[in-house]
Amino acid sequence: MDGADIAVVGGGASAVCLLDALVTLDGPPGGVTIFEPGPHLWRGRPYQRDTEVLRLNATPDDMSVRHGDPGQFERWLAARDLVVGVPAEGPGPLDPYSGARFASRTVYGEYLEHSARANLMALIERGWRVDIVRERVVSAAPTAEGGALLRTEQGRRFQADHVVLCVGGGATQDSYGLSGSPRFLVDPYPLSGTLDSLQDFDQDSRVGIIGSGLTAVDVVLALVARGHRGPISLLSRGGVLPAVRQRPVRHDRRHFTPERLRAAAQRGPVTLDTAVRLLDDELTAAGEDLTTVAAEVTALHREEPVARLRRQFAEVDSTSIALRIVQAAVPDTGPDLWSLLPDNQKADLIRRHYRSVLTLCCPMPAASAATLLSLIERGQLRIVRGLQRIAAPGVAHSGGFTVTTDTHVLRADHIVNAVSPPAHRIPAAAAELVDSLVIAGVASRNPVGGLHVDRATSRLTVDGRPHPRFYALGDLAFGSLFFTFGIPAMVDRAHEIGSALREDMSVVRRTRRPASALAAPR
């Protein structure tokens, strides 16, 4: 009996996590076909080759693609250090303020490439058929035989037993209508090359950066690394910077856990009040207080941005571990909590607190914060709040861009967009595919973004009924899931998809030919 044919639509980091889960599948060998039209196979947009100053904002134990093995990436890094001659200790690999290691995103991209190739080779050695198709999938639908039929932009057709959508995030958006200006960057990556593409850009240019999140911090770091001397302004409505990551500590949670949430669900409805009580129990057991976390949330919009940055940098070695408990607990327990909350509380969380959760739970390395503070102290960097509009310069480029805020007007020679693609929107490149799935009756749009998926398996659902052949991994599942983008979340969901595939493959006998053999021009 042949094994199942699995079509993976997308070839970025989420696909790498899925491949690692597929290696663990039992049963007869099948086939896997990966569809990826973009230039950054396995790396995706976030981890493409770029300047070495761009770092991960998480430590190696949070970046392994192997489920149940958080040390895998750290071991890979250690082996790479030996090969390239990087010392095990010293100022290079470690953050000098927190003592943690934050690998460069370029190096992490190497790890993703290595993992994908190693897993594909492992599948091939076990008799699996592997194919990589550098084409965009524009439609997919179930077949009468119980499988799925996919069609690419070039008109080729492929048949598979299971389809996993790993389409990644969307493209950046020009919110201020600046596209077409040679002095505007709509997508800053890769920063090693895009800044030089700006017309008349030099080391003394006045640079305005739209946004104040992790991408904006990346742009600042890249400018500093190339010796930029001109003024830099972070332009946003709220001026909320990422939190500063504190020195790592070990804490074993006992109260705010998926198991405790599921137990609570057996006793009655789970609400935000339930979560707050469990989190309070967790913090109290650790000698901490929920008011510490509440005060930090309140400070996001009430405390002046630079004052907040200085305070958080000074607390890198804080004896309080309340924030560190929350930063570890929310991504781990959040998916289970999210699936149990009533819809009105989900919508309220997204509308009122989504940015706050990301800011606190996705902090920047302390070394990045130190660089920002140094620039602020010498007057080169400003955090500008109350952004209303940006007007592009005229034909003669006299005066540069005009930036209007709630309180004043300023000028910039160049504008760099650092607003990340929103997780709650279906990527434009996948819109045609998603439309086909909805028309075929195997997918339904979530009103808060993405597609409806089953929490336990990530299968696409319509009216609460999971389809046994179609899955979504990553941002496309936003709404049904809350954390869809971080590596730990994708690893957990990929493991669950692998478990669902294993269960299905144990009872379904193959009656169709391999997906690669069915490829044919339309």
Side-chain angles (χ1 to χ4, degrees):
M1 181 178 75
D2 290 333
D5 284 311
I6 301 168
V8 182
V9 182
S14 60
V16 177
C17 296
L18 180 67
L19 288 176
D20 206 83
L22 295 183
V23 170
T24 67
L25 292 181
D26 302 322
V32 59
T33 303
I34 299 99
F35 298 87
E36 175 51 62
H40 308 299
L41 183 62
W42 312 131
R43 290 174 174 266
R45 177 177 174 268
Y47 307 113
Q48 60 186 293
R49 291 177 178 83
D50 208 334
T51 171
E52 288 293 318
V53 301
L54 303 188
R55 300 273 161 176
L56 301 174
N57 70 312
T59 51
D61 58 310
D62 270 341
M63 298 301 292
S64 169
V65 300
R66 174 81 31 96
H67 185 266
D69 186 4
Q72 191 212 35
F73 177 45
E74 194 160 17
R75 295 193 302 273
W76 183 89
L77 273 177
R80 183 185 184 278
D81 290 348
L82 289 175
V83 172
V84 302
V86 175
E89 303 290 341
L94 302 180
D95 185 299
Y97 303 97
S98 69
R101 180 166 188 177
F102 300 97
S104 75
R105 293 221 293 274
T106 294
V107 168
Y108 188 71
E110 291 179 23
Y111 165 69
L112 292 175
E113 290 178 336
H114 171 86
S115 298
R117 291 165 182 161
N119 287 323
L120 290 177
M121 287 302 300
L123 290 172
I124 291 170
E125 289 172 359
R126 288 170 46 190
W128 281 63
R129 300 173 300 275
V130 172
D131 193 15
I132 299 175
V133 179
R134 303 308 296 267
E135 299 174 19
R136 184 169 68 95
V137 175
V138 295
S139 71
T143 64
E145 295 83 5
L149 184 66
L150 299 88
R151 182 172 61 86
T152 69
E153 197 168 25
Q154 284 70 23
R156 293 208 291 163
R157 292 175 294 168
F158 295 79
Q159 190 168 333
D161 298 296
H162 302 275
V163 178
V164 186
L165 307 176
C166 300
V167 298
T172 55
Q173 297 186 350
D174 176 16
S175 301
Y176 295 92
L178 303 177
S179 293
S181 170
R183 298 186 174 199
F184 170 67
L185 276 182
V186 67
D187 186 348
Y189 298 116
L191 282 159
S192 56
T194 54
L195 291 173
D196 288 326
S197 70
L198 289 169
Q199 185 181 83
D200 300 327
F201 183 80
D202 60 40
Q203 303 293 64
D204 297 307
S205 295
R206 299 169 297 178
V207 179
I209 302 170
I210 304 174
S212 58
L214 290 170
T215 302
V217 174
D218 279 350
V219 178
V220 173
L221 296 177
L223 286 169
V224 171
R226 55 188 286 145
H228 192 76
R229 298 183 297 264
I232 305 168
S233 299
L234 295 185
L235 312 169
S236 65
R237 288 188 290 270
V240 178
L241 293 166
V244 180
R245 189 174 290 276
Q246 297 173 319
R247 185 177 296 275
V249 297
R250 179 178 176 82
H251 173 76
D252 296 319
R253 283 177 287 113
R254 294 183 290 126
H255 300 278
F256 194 70
T257 65
E259 294 76 19
R260 291 293 295 272
L261 274 173
R262 289 192 285 268
Q266 295 295 319
R267 298 189 295 269
V270 171
T271 67
L272 285 175
D273 288 340
T274 311
V276 170
R277 285 196 299 271
L278 290 175
L279 182 57
D280 191 23
D281 291 344
E282 187 68 54
L283 293 170
T284 300
E288 297 290 346
D289 196 310
L290 187 61
T291 58
T292 302
V293 179
E296 195 62 59
V297 173
T298 301
L300 285 174
H301 301 286
R302 293 187 179 180
E303 191 174 13
E304 196 274 327
V306 175
R308 176 172 169 265
L309 178 64
R310 287 196 182 102
R311 174 180 59 78
Q312 290 188 337
F313 181 69
E315 294 171 352
V316 168
D317 286 313
S318 173
T319 56
S320 170
I321 63 171
L323 283 180
R324 280 164 280 194
I325 290 175
V326 171
Q327 287 163 349
V330 170
D332 180 58
T333 306
D336 293 271
L337 171 62
W338 189 253
S339 66
L340 297 170
L341 289 176
D343 289 342
N344 65 318
Q345 291 196 346
K346 290 179 183 178
D348 189 58
L349 266 175
I350 291 175
R351 183 177 65 255
R352 298 175 56 195
H353 302 297
Y354 181 68
R355 178 63 192 275
S356 298
V357 171
L358 293 190
T359 298
L360 291 177
C361 294
C362 302
M364 63 178 149
S368 299
T371 299
L372 298 186
L373 285 171
S374 175
L375 294 171
I376 291 169
E377 294 297 337
R378 64 174 184 251
Q380 188 178 358
L381 175 65
R382 290 190 298 173
I383 315 298
V384 180
R385 294 186 285 180
L387 178 62
Q388 292 185 354
R389 59 185 178 272
I390 303 175
V395 177
H397 302 296
S398 59
F401 293 86
T402 302
V403 180
T404 304
T405 74
D406 291 340
T407 57
H408 62 286
V409 174
L410 58 97
R411 304 283 183 178
D413 300 311
H414 300 88
I415 295 289
V416 179
N417 179 37
V419 179
S420 297
H424 63 277
R425 294 181 184 171
I426 293 171
E432 190 175 358
L433 170 61
V434 168
D435 287 343
S436 74
L437 293 167
V438 173
I439 292 171
V442 300
S444 58
R445 289 183 173 84
N446 194 304
V448 298
L451 299 176
H452 284 289
V453 302
D454 175 56
R455 165 63 190 89
T457 63
S458 290
R459 286 177 172 136
L460 301 185
T461 66
V462 176
D463 296 328
R465 296 189 302 274
H467 196 285
R469 296 290 181 263
F470 292 87
Y471 302 78
L473 177 60
D475 284 346
L476 208 56
F478 185 81
S480 294
L481 306 174
F482 189 82
F483 284 95
T484 59
F485 50 88
I487 293 296
M490 290 195 293
V491 168
D492 287 344
R493 303 295 80 77
H495 174 71
E496 291 164 355
I497 291 172
S499 298
L501 289 170
R502 182 184 296 108
E503 179 181 352
D504 185 76
M505 291 163 60
S506 67
V507 298
V508 176
R509 179 177 293 273
R510 288 278 297 128
T511 60
R512 292 174 300 279
R513 291 173 291 168
S516 56
L518 287 171
R522 185 173 180 173

